[in-house]
Amino acid sequence: MLTVLFAAPSLWPEYQEPLPRALAEAGIDARLVTKAAPEAVDYIVYAPSSPLQDFTPYTRTKAVLNLWAGVERIVGNPTLTQPLCRMVDPGLTEGMVEWVTGHTLRHHLGMDRHIVNPGHVWDPACPPLARERGVTILGMGALGAACAAALRALNFPVTGWSRTAKPGCLHGEEGLREALARAEILVTLLPKTPETENLLNGRTLAMLPRGAVILNPGRGALIDDAALIAALDAGQVGHATLDVFRIEPLPQDHPFWSHPGVTVTPHIAADTRASTAAHVIAENIRRGEAGEPFLHLVDRTRGY
Ligand code: NDP
């Protein structure tokens, strides 16, 4: 019988029913525990909130299965020598598609003008069609690609940009310039790595069409905060809807809270959903036991 350590105590109430069920459905004979002698643990289910920081004694552990898509808080842990898998969860992806599509439509349709209209202004200016509004997604991975598909289904011309070359997607420095130039609405769905930190700075924000809208559900560190405020003040960026921040919760005195050009959502764009994520965890344990390659294995050298 396998020992699976659920090392994210605060999430245990959500997983205590669906995870044993998913393991049983996958035919895995496992003891799911929240405490165990390290040398007895076969798999670790992990979240950044976990108190577990030293993986050295987990000599038998075949994989660490992260409940979050982002791995920046664990990927550099020098004690972690076991394979690390990140979360690609259908529930999380659906949530992100809804957040990105909803906020894209908010800005595309200019909804704010009608929702908050204290002067009762009758302004019959119609928004353009989606087909006339360029959207760019930086990061065309599991989440970016799903958002691109949803936005394309609404007729938005979507430009994607990623690290490696792939069909229909830009890459590299020249590709970034082109992607930003097309971005009336820019969505950032990149992981936080040394390469992506401050990718949006004074220089790159200037490559956007004037008045572009930014949606950042990726990571706060992708954007230089001060450069964004300056670009908003100068009208270079029309609005920024931000879900993620360098420090969370966003400190009360942070200028984003009071800036009229910023909408803050409190890291709610997409949550891992226990009912679907439990099956992803179970499938990876099944794979590990069958000697098959793990799903969503993190490449430590590239950091995501
Ligand atoms: P993936 O690993 O599937 O995709 C990452 C994408 O970013 C890939 O297309 C990758 O390129 C690209 N990328 C990485 N580094 C670079 C770089 N240096 N230059 C250009 N492109 C780069 O991740 P997910 O789609 O699953 O998740 C993306 C991020 O979304 C997570 O890392 C996390 O930070 C954030 N997130 C936020 C949530 C929220 O609630 N706000 C919830 C879940 C995730 P390539 O395809 O070439 O590898």
Side-chain angles (χ1 to χ4, degrees), residues 10-205:
S10 62
L11 297 175
W12 179 240
E14 286 173 51
Y15 283 86
Q16 61 181 343
E17 283 176 20
L19 190 49
R21 205 180 319 125
L23 291 168
E25 281 172 25
I28 296 158
D29 187 16
R31 198 169 63 96
L32 183 61
V33 292
T34 51
K35 281 198 178 78
E39 59 284 359
V41 172
D42 294 288
Y43 294 90
I44 298 175
V45 181
Y46 191 82
S49 58
S50 173
L52 201 175
Q53 293 299 325
D54 181 7
F55 294 90
T56 318
Y58 292 85
T59 47
R60 178 193 170 96
T61 299
K62 296 166 211 162
V64 174
L65 308 170
N66 199 41
L67 289 173
W68 283 31
V71 291
E72 72 276 5
R73 280 156 70 181
I74 180 175
V75 72
N77 185 322
T79 69
L80 181 70
T81 52
Q82 300 86 344
L84 171 66
C85 300
R86 60 191 208 89
M87 180 52 69
V88 177
D89 157 41
L92 187 147
T93 304
E94 262 180 71
M96 185 60 81
V97 166
E98 291 177 17
W99 189 94
V100 167
T101 308
H103 287 280
T104 298
L105 286 172
R106 168 193 168 191
H107 294 293
H108 166 62
L109 296 174
M111 289 182 190
D112 293 16
R113 278 187 302 141
H114 308 294
I115 293 171
V116 182
N117 186 4
H120 304 178
V121 178
W122 182 266
D123 175 4
C126 253
L129 293 172
R131 70 178 75 251
E132 297 159 333
R133 178 89 70 188
V135 178
T136 289
I137 302 182
L138 303 183
M140 288 288 278
L143 298 176
C147 293
L151 292 171
R152 283 180 181 137
L154 291 171
N155 284 342
F156 286 102
V158 178
T159 300
W161 182 77
S162 59
R163 191 179 59 87
T164 52
K166 41 187 154 211
C169 187
L170 297 169
H171 71 284
E173 180 65 26
E174 200 40 53
L176 178 63
R177 183 180 292 279
E178 197 175 328
L180 292 177
R182 294 183 196 171
E184 286 176 80
I185 298 178
L186 178 71
V187 183
T188 46
L189 269 169
L190 296 159
K192 180 189 170 203
T193 69
E195 285 75 42
T196 61
E197 195 158 356
N198 290 325
L199 184 79
L200 291 181
N201 50 47
R203 184 181 68 86
T204 49
L205 290 172

